[in-house]
Amino acid sequence: MKQMRDKCAIAGIGQTEYLVNSGRDSFSLALEAITNAVEDAGINVKDIDGILKYSVDSSSSVEMIAANLGLPNVTYWGETFFGGGSGCSAVTQAVMAVASGMANCVVVYRSFTPYDFMQGAVHNSTTLWARASGSGDFLRPFGWTAMMDVFSMMTQRHMHEYGTTNAQLGAIAVAARKHAAMNPNAIRRDPLTLEDYYDSPFTTEPLRELDSAISPCDGAAAVIVTSAERARDLKQTPAYIRACAQVLGIPKTTLWWEQLPFKFDFPETQSAYVAPRLFEMADMTPQDIDVAQIYDCYTYTLLTQLEDYGFCKKGEGGAFVENGRIELGGELPVNTHGGHLSEAYIHGFNHIVEGVRQVRGTSTAQVQDAETVLVTGGVPAPTAALILRK
Amino acid sequence: MSEYKKPIPKVNEMTKGHWDGCKNHELRIQRCSCCETYCHPPQPMCAKCNSTAMEWHPVEGKGTVYSYIICRNTSVGEFPARGFTYPYATVMIELDGVEGVRIASNLVDCELEDIKIGMPVSVVFEKINDDITLPKFRPL
Ligand SMILES: [Zn+2]
């Protein structure tokens, strides 16, 4: 994969307002984020010749995007599934398209509304994993209803094996809120203390409401991926894609939700398999990363990835997040936009946009002299990650 | 008997062997008849040797609590668990002698505050209707 190192860059970023119960449809949100990204990049919209949709639902198809933008010459398109893990995977496909010459200017987007993500899955059952496979029938009769149940199960086991505490999870929620308070686009900006966190009710113990992503919320985000040469001629400071890597499944943790609750294990989440490929492609180590945008559908997801991407040893994620280490000014500022916990839940795509801002030096919680940014997708699920650099 | 309001599993070709076993008070886990690797939930192909000769193998039904959650409220953005009274616990049981197999269930005769990871449990069967019996677990 080294031949793709630094070959492409993110030249434009766009997003919508992040809202709760806006009633807006995902298609118009997608078009708005894409046109904002086009304007940000300073390109002509007709220059787009590749489209990649990142999805878990049926919203906003690539044909309809092309038809509405009036794109005459789309030579590459695709879709990555597995909402949560695959935002960086969609960007990876765009890099492959540009590096191979299949396309020159690729827009990648995620549009997220609760209707598409939650109610859109109702015809299968109350949640996503209970599909026709019958696996859901081994869960729901026992009171399993939600994604959160998987993460709470893992959190409980992590606490048992490594002594991780609620206070450590709370430190993640507090850090996210501090960053969100600086970000006018964030949905949750009220100050949050560890005491407030403790007062937040358990939903699925050991996780609380404040351990969870903002849900439901509406919004979309998009990026423009093009060649490094072209990006240098455009309006913005390029965010070079130093490395990209992805993995569908691994021996123990296996694949998507249907099987996941039965097979989660330590220390192997998919991130632990992405990390070596990613850092090898980048010719970097975790110590070279200045700031990280780490997928945080729950506080626990962020904690386990700090371990899996090698910022600390397995089991030491809890200690790592203490004492402001992941806050602005700390050793490794994480989720400087506020993350899913406090900015918005756009399935990791807002993390990519924030990663680009850090490289450009335009974040509302800018890390001084930031040059390298890690951006990750969710686990446990098919996942991917990027290293962006100045 | 009062009406049962919790979700009842739908039985299909892939899962029938498991539910038939429960009806006969026998916990059955899918096993590859070629390499004897166990698999749960069931799937058509053995992920180890790629055989499609999968069979149903009775297991003793003893195990330990691998992890558990206490559902106290509807999860953010989700629907309430149908028929359950909050709070309740869902457990993931690691079965003895069936390497790598875990099964979701509920504990019977156990208070929420007494649940501990690693506690030994044994299967009991709870008849829901003429077609479905659920495997539950009781602390040993
Ligand atoms: Zn086999």
Side-chain angles (χ1 to χ4, degrees), chain B residues 31-37 45-51 53-54:
Chain B
R31 190 174 80 165
C32 171
S33 59
C34 295
C35 75
E36 301 194 341
T37 299
M45 180 177 277
C46 171
K48 189 172 179 193
C49 76
N50 300 136
S51 164
M54 305 298 274

Side-chain angles (χ1 to χ4, degrees), chain A residues 151-287:
Chain A
F151 292 89
S152 284
M153 277 278 178
M154 293 189 289
T155 306
Q156 184 86 267
R157 185 73 197 185
H158 200 277
M159 289 172 152
H160 171 78
E161 291 204 16
Y162 305 117
T164 306
T165 65
N166 280 112
Q168 291 167 338
L169 298 176
I172 295 172
V174 167
R177 191 62 64 86
K178 275 190 191 170
H179 298 154
M182 304 162 79
N183 172 5
N185 294 318
I187 293 174
R188 289 180 183 159
R189 304 183 61 211
D190 294 340
L192 178 75
T193 64
L194 199 54
E195 290 67 43
D196 299 331
Y197 170 83
Y198 277 127
D199 288 343
S200 150
F202 282 115
T203 40
T204 305
E205 194 177 339
L207 293 181
R208 291 173 157 83
E209 212 170 283
L210 285 175
D211 287 300
S212 307
I214 300 170
S215 181
C217 72
D218 322 329
V223 300
I224 306 285
V225 175
T226 190
S227 66
E229 298 82 48
R230 179 140 194 243
R232 277 192 282 277
D233 295 335
L234 293 174
K235 201 162 111 189
Q236 306 288 352
T237 304
Y240 294 105
I241 300 168
R242 176 80 180 173
C244 48
Q246 58 182 24
V247 65
L248 183 65
I250 59 174
K252 279 192 180 168
T253 314
T254 75
L255 299 177
W256 186 228
W257 301 105
E258 286 90 346
Q259 293 193 330
L260 177 64
F262 300 94
K263 312 249 171 137
F264 70 87
D265 218 336
F266 303 111
E268 297 174 320
T269 78
Q270 286 89 340
S271 298
Y273 287 69
V274 168
R277 295 169 62 82
L278 185 76
F279 286 115
E280 194 197 337
M281 179 172 166
D283 195 22
M284 287 179 177
T285 70
Q287 285 64 49

Side-chain angles (χ1 to χ4, degrees), chain A residues 118-119 122 124-127 132-135 137-150 152-157 160-161 188 201-206 208-209 212-216 258-259 261-266 298, chain B residues 4 6-12 14-15 18-19 39-43 56 65-82 84 86 88-92 94 100-106 117-118 134-136:
Chain A
M118 293 300 184
Q119 283 89 332
V122 167
N124 293 316
S125 89
T126 52
T127 52
S133 70
S135 292
D137 290 319
F138 292 99
L139 293 168
R140 285 177 297 122
F142 308 103
W144 204 292
T145 62
M147 230 168 37
M148 189 176 197
D149 299 351
V150 180
S152 284
M153 277 278 178
M154 293 189 289
T155 306
Q156 184 86 267
R157 185 73 197 185
H160 171 78
E161 291 204 16
R188 289 180 183 159
F202 282 115
T203 40
T204 305
E205 194 177 339
R208 291 173 157 83
E209 212 170 283
S212 307
I214 300 170
S215 181
E258 286 90 346
Q259 293 193 330
F262 300 94
K263 312 249 171 137
F264 70 87
D265 218 336
F266 303 111
Y298 300 97
Chain B
Y4 188 82
K6 295 173 184 174
I8 294 174
K10 288 188 278 296
V11 179
N12 62 27
M14 186 97 74
T15 61
H18 176 84
W19 299 116
C39 180
H40 183 78
Q43 59 183 46
W56 289 98
V65 173
Y66 182 78
S67 192
Y68 67 97
I69 52 177
I70 298 176
C71 304
R72 295 196 178 273
N73 259 304
T74 306
S75 292
V76 177
E78 302 274 0
F79 297 92
R82 180 155 50 89
F84 282 80
Y86 292 87
Y88 65 90
T90 297
V91 295
M92 196 58 82
E94 190 151 70
V101 170
R102 295 182 202 135
I103 179 171
S105 190
N106 306 117
I117 286 178
L134 296 178
K136 302 279 176 101

Side-chain angles (χ1 to χ4, degrees), chain A residues 99-140:
Chain A
S100 70
M102 284 293 282
N104 188 265
C105 183
V106 181
V107 64
V108 192
Y109 67 96
R110 171 75 178 125
S111 187
F112 187 105
T113 69
Y115 179 80
D116 286 304
F117 183 50
M118 293 300 184
Q119 283 89 332
V122 167
H123 61 279
N124 293 316
S125 89
T126 52
T127 52
L128 290 169
W129 51 66
R131 294 180 188 179
S133 70
S135 292
D137 290 319
F138 292 99
L139 293 168
R140 285 177 297 122

